[in-house]
Amino acid sequence: MPQSRLARLAATAAAVSLLSSVAATATAQTNAQARAQTLIDVNPLLSGHDIRVAAADSGLRLEGTVADTAEQRLAEALTALVAEGAEIDNALTVAADLPDAVGSLFQEDEDQTTAARLRQTLSWQQDTAGLDIELEVNRGEVRLNGEVGTTATKDRIATLAATTEGVDAVFNYISVDPANIPAIRELQAELERADRPDAWIASRVRRLLQFDTTVNAHSIEVDARDGTAILSGAVTSSAERKVAEDLAASVPGVRDLDSRLVIERPR
């Protein structure tokens, strides 16, 4: 093969390789830019500001205004988490007032997370699991719809919703029809007979305590042995202890409750 043709083929291969590399770099940069923008938009301190993550020749550039250097550094740190080693040009201006409200993406993220917390709570309590309850969360306000057998169950769902992290108000539109009682009792009997691994029980109890705003989950240790939920640690009142005990005892698969919680009133 003539030398000139070999040279042209080599040059073409090099060009294709370069273009592929450039395309891959551009794609990675675009992905990093999108991820960084999302992290900033859902951050509770930054979401109310007008911050833009732009592509730059050497990496990513932060544009817009923040209230102080702490927010400026936070935006850069969040971007660095997904920048994949690219340089970050922090061009944020420290001049903005503190925002009166968080951004829409942050609020939507919070509402969806709150809804998920409440759905998990309802599905991990024997008296509410399996019920056809529809719920919607909008800016911290929960709207409940569905049908249950007793007023007590309706009130129980409202109470669980009101004490769920992220909930500011509850509007309970659940209707009561006693005709549903036999089917609900049969469902609850099946849940009571359910055999759950101890690790499954303990993990659900821990998360339920974390979700409930009336309980300090950090001061309560949870374990499970042979279907017995074990709570140990300290609470500040008998009311807090009862909430923790009721949540743990109602998890499907729990056969017994061993509560070693002690009351230590704050000084």
Side-chain angles (χ1 to χ4, degrees):
M1 184 179 293
Q3 185 67 28
S4 59
R5 186 177 179 187
L6 287 174
R8 287 197 301 271
L9 288 175
T12 301
V16 170
S17 177
L18 178 60
L19 288 174
S20 299
S21 176
V22 170
T25 301
T27 300
Q29 186 183 48
T30 300
N31 291 338
Q33 178 185 353
R35 291 196 297 270
Q37 188 70 64
T38 300
L39 283 177
I40 289 173
D41 288 344
V42 300
N43 184 273
L45 297 182
L46 301 177
S47 66
H49 291 303
D50 181 20
I51 300 175
R52 299 171 301 282
V53 182
D57 293 339
S58 57
L60 299 174
R61 176 182 172 87
L62 298 176
E63 302 172 345
T65 57
V66 290
D68 52 35
T69 56
E71 292 181 345
Q72 187 183 48
R73 293 175 61 182
L74 173 60
E76 183 173 342
L78 292 177
T79 303
L81 291 176
V82 295
E84 299 179 353
E87 293 183 12
I88 301 171
D89 178 13
N90 193 339
L92 291 172
T93 302
V94 179
D97 293 331
L98 289 173
D100 294 329
V102 296
S104 60
L105 186 59
F106 171 83
Q107 188 63 63
E108 291 170 9
D109 179 83
E110 280 288 283
D111 286 343
Q112 292 296 332
T113 302
T114 298
R117 289 191 190 106
L118 182 51
R119 290 190 181 99
Q120 287 187 325
T121 296
L122 295 178
S123 67
W124 296 337
Q125 295 287 274
Q126 289 186 13
D127 55 350
T128 58
L131 298 179
D132 187 17
I133 302 299
E134 298 179 1
L135 61 94
E136 178 184 353
V137 183
N138 182 23
R139 304 189 73 82
E141 295 182 349
V142 177
R143 285 169 173 76
L144 300 168
N145 285 280
E147 192 173 82
V148 297
T150 66
T151 301
T153 301
K154 174 181 177 178
D155 293 342
R156 169 69 170 160
I157 294 171
T159 298
L160 290 171
T163 58
T164 297
E165 182 183 351
V167 174
D168 298 322
V170 177
F171 298 91
N172 192 350
Y173 303 116
I174 296 174
S175 60
V176 177
D177 185 355
N180 294 317
I181 293 177
I184 293 174
R185 285 180 175 171
E186 182 178 350
L187 173 62
Q188 291 173 346
E190 291 179 3
L191 292 173
E192 290 177 0
R193 294 191 296 268
D195 186 17
R196 305 284 189 181
D198 289 337
W200 188 95
I201 292 173
S203 64
R204 268 64 180 177
V205 173
R206 289 191 195 98
R207 182 162 288 190
L208 285 171
L209 297 180
Q210 292 168 0
F211 287 171
D212 197 289
T213 57
T214 63
V215 174
N216 182 8
H218 298 294
S219 65
I220 300 177
E221 295 182 3
V222 180
D223 196 5
R225 298 173 191 167
D226 299 325
T228 297
I230 305 170
L231 303 179
S232 57
V235 293
T236 58
S237 66
S238 57
E240 182 183 357
R241 180 171 62 187
K242 187 176 188 310
V243 170
E245 291 172 347
D246 287 348
L247 287 171
S250 298
V251 170
V254 172
R255 307 276 187 238
D256 197 6
L257 175 67
D258 181 3
S259 178
R260 306 170 187 177
L261 296 173
V262 296
I263 298 175
E264 293 184 358
R265 301 189 185 280
R267 297 179 181 177

